[in-house]
Amino acid sequence: MDKARVDSWIWAVRITKTRSAATTACKAGHVKVNGERAKPAQPVGPGDEVRVRQAGFDRIVVVKSIILKRVSAAEAAKHLEDNTPPRLPPEEAGFVPIRERGAGRPSKRERRDLEELRGY
């Protein structure tokens, strides 16, 4: 087997806790394969780079081999190469903009400014 669905693969290698969470992440645009936004059924194969946005950070992994069933963490680590850069300590991370409680929803301009500060 040389190809698998991207949602099934990221669930099998324990990037997401459930298969439905993997499907939801794909539909929301949080999963990219080789730099392109991925749909849940997009096939991935060895050598493909998969980026998954989790908790505001991108997790970057390269597919080493295909796996369809969820296995132990040690076994799952054999099927991927993790290229995620290490996170900065909180004191080096810099300013994180926080809206005041009760300030309401941000306008389109405020949202874009916040995303620019966060680096999205």
Side-chain angles (χ1 to χ4, degrees):
M1 188 170 303
D2 59 341
K3 296 278 184 183
R5 288 174 57 114
V6 68
D7 63 341
S8 177
W9 187 82
I10 64 175
W11 165 75
V13 295
R14 297 177 169 260
I15 294 175
T16 59
K17 287 188 177 186
T18 64
R19 172 100 185 259
S20 62
T23 303
T24 304
C26 290
K27 288 179 180 177
H30 298 298
V31 178
K32 293 184 179 181
V33 176
N34 296 326
E36 298 292 324
R37 186 174 168 182
K39 292 183 177 181
Q42 180 172 340
V44 293
D48 288 341
E49 179 188 73
V50 179
R51 289 177 177 255
V52 181
R53 178 161 286 285
Q54 291 179 321
F57 295 97
D58 280 346
R59 181 153 182 212
I60 305 166
V61 295
V62 176
V63 180
K64 278 187 176 178
S65 61
I66 297 301
I67 182 173
L68 298 176
K69 297 290 181 183
R70 194 167 172 96
V71 293
S72 69
E75 181 67 28
K78 297 176 186 174
H79 298 279
L80 62 93
E81 178 183 334
D82 197 350
N83 292 339
T84 307
R87 293 187 183 178
L88 294 174
E91 55 273 359
E92 292 181 20
F95 174 71
V96 178
I98 299 174
R99 291 181 55 83
E100 291 183 24
R101 186 173 175 94
R105 235 176 123 171
S107 67
K108 192 173 196 177
R109 172 181 262 165
E110 290 171 336
R111 181 183 53 82
R112 287 181 175 164
D113 289 342
L114 289 172
E115 287 178 353
E116 184 179 336
L117 281 172
R118 291 180 180 150
Y120 293 159

